[in-house]
Amino acid sequence: MKKLALLATGAVTLCSAALAQNDCCATDASEKCCKAEKTTECCATVGSFDVQDFGTFKLHTYLSGDQMGDASFIVEGKDSLVTMEQPLFKANAATYDKYLSSLGKPVAHRISDFHLGNTGAETLLVPAGMTEVFKGPEYTGMMSHFADQYGDAIVALPTGKTEEVAFDSTVTLAGIPFTFLKGASNDFPGADIVIGKDVVYMHFAPAKAHTNALYASTAEGVDARIAELETLLATGAKLYVGSHGNPGTADDVRFLIDYLKKVKELRASQPDADSFASALITAYPGLPGENGVADFAKALYSAK
């Protein structure tokens, strides 16, 4: 429970600290709001889609630009579609659903791995154990906070039933194999999902940037992330996507493994959080995310 509470607190902090790309769109998708804010684009379309073709399927990645930097996905098979991690904010949900309809194929399945979104009364496929997490006090408390903070800007919570998928199992959805692997032990009990053989979905996409306390806040958490990344790198996938961050490559995964090993080395050699933070920034000069290193250091050194 302590792990889940930390993740919920971190998500709230991340949400509160980040800014929407278009504040008008984040709170009101109407043209009236757009005109009042003197925006140059109609708020009816927010965020952006990217499409990659892997032969047996296409992956449509939706970068929402919302307060949490969330990403959502559509996996397109020959005759039908699978949605993953649908958007939380209404303006994004409208854009996502319009695009989904434009593909002209039925939705065969909807996956909610780490995030609940605009799935309404549809049945959700979830990793083993996530049904109870979604109903539990940490997750519901986090969602209640979002509702208090953003009000009508976010969608209603899903009402459909859930069907759980066991870890280390493969299910065929829309003619495409989805293998559910156990995610990092310091995260919600969600899955890292191998789609086909070329794509891996994980909670946080890998990037050449400093990490933060939401990703790993203890020495054990750092070890858990290294183990997760090494397992996923061994799949030989070409693309690594997450619900937070831009899509990454195997090179990004290798960088992050090396970075976290450096974190372990410095945690063992530096006497306090300040010296750790200074040493980590010195080891990676100019790396994006320096503003979060101090808080990451404090978390590592305060952990019992």
Side-chain angles (χ1 to χ4, degrees):
M1 287 301 180
K2 181 178 179 182
K3 173 184 69 176
L4 298 182
L6 175 63
L7 286 162
T9 301
V12 169
T13 301
L14 178 65
C15 181
S16 300
L19 294 176
Q21 289 183 343
N22 186 329
D23 290 335
C24 161
C25 292
T27 57
D28 183 352
S30 71
E31 291 190 22
K32 179 180 177 181
C33 172
C34 289
K35 291 176 182 177
E37 295 291 327
K38 297 182 174 60
T39 56
T40 58
E41 298 178 351
C42 177
C43 290
T45 300
V46 293
S48 61
F49 277 92
D50 177 70
V51 185
Q52 295 199 44
D53 191 338
F54 293 94
T56 57
F57 69 93
K58 293 180 181 178
L59 179 70
H60 304 254
T61 299
Y62 175 58
L63 299 179
S64 69
D66 69 15
Q67 283 87 333
M68 289 168 279
D70 285 348
S72 301
F73 307 91
I74 302 166
V75 183
E76 181 182 358
K78 180 180 178 182
D79 301 312
S80 57
L81 309 168
V82 177
T83 74
M84 295 178 57
E85 308 294 84
Q86 291 186 209
L88 177 64
F89 286 84
K90 287 181 179 178
N92 299 111
T95 295
Y96 181 92
D97 285 347
K98 182 178 180 181
Y99 182 92
L100 184 66
S101 295
S102 76
L103 296 177
K105 297 178 182 179
V107 176
H109 300 278
R110 299 177 193 264
I111 297 173
S112 282
D113 193 346
F114 291 95
H115 296 168
L116 293 174
N118 67 313
T119 55
E122 299 291 338
T123 297
L124 296 177
L125 292 181
V126 303
M130 278 303 288
T131 301
E132 290 305 311
V133 171
F134 285 147
K135 294 177 180 178
E138 288 84 7
Y139 201 96
T140 57
M142 180 175 68
M143 298 303 289
S144 293
H145 175 87
F146 294 159
D148 290 342
Q149 187 166 8
Y150 300 110
D152 288 341
I154 62 174
V155 300
L157 288 178
T159 58
K161 67 178 182 178
T162 59
E163 296 180 356
E164 297 195 349
V165 180
F167 293 113
D168 298 320
S169 67
T170 300
V171 292
T172 299
L173 311 173
I176 305 151
F178 288 70
T179 300
F180 282 59
L181 303 177
K182 184 70 175 67
S185 60
N186 67 319
D187 209 335
F188 288 122
D192 294 327
I193 303 175
V194 184
I195 306 169
K197 60 181 181 179
D198 295 317
V199 177
V200 166
Y201 163 80
M202 53 210 300
H203 195 180
F204 299 91
K208 294 183 175 69
H210 286 289
T211 190
N212 55 55
L214 183 58
Y215 185 72
S217 60
T218 65
E220 294 77 14
V222 172
D223 285 337
R225 291 298 184 184
I226 292 172
E228 174 191 35
L229 292 166
E230 289 179 336
T231 295
L232 298 181
L233 186 63
T235 66
K238 298 175 181 176
L239 187 70
Y240 295 79
V241 300
S243 283
H244 301 288
N246 294 323
T249 66
D251 189 49
D252 294 315
V253 176
R254 284 188 284 267
F255 172 88
L256 188 50
I257 291 171
D258 290 342
Y259 172 92
L260 291 173
K261 288 180 177 179
K262 174 60 73 173
V263 166
K264 285 188 62 174
E265 174 189 319
L266 294 176
R267 178 61 182 86
S269 64
Q270 300 301 313
D272 54 46
D274 288 342
S275 59
F276 169 90
S278 177
L280 186 59
I281 290 171
T282 298
Y284 295 94
L287 193 68
E290 279 190 11
N291 60 340
V293 171
D295 287 341
F296 178 46
K298 289 177 184 177
L300 284 177
Y301 278 76
S302 65
K304 301 298 183 182

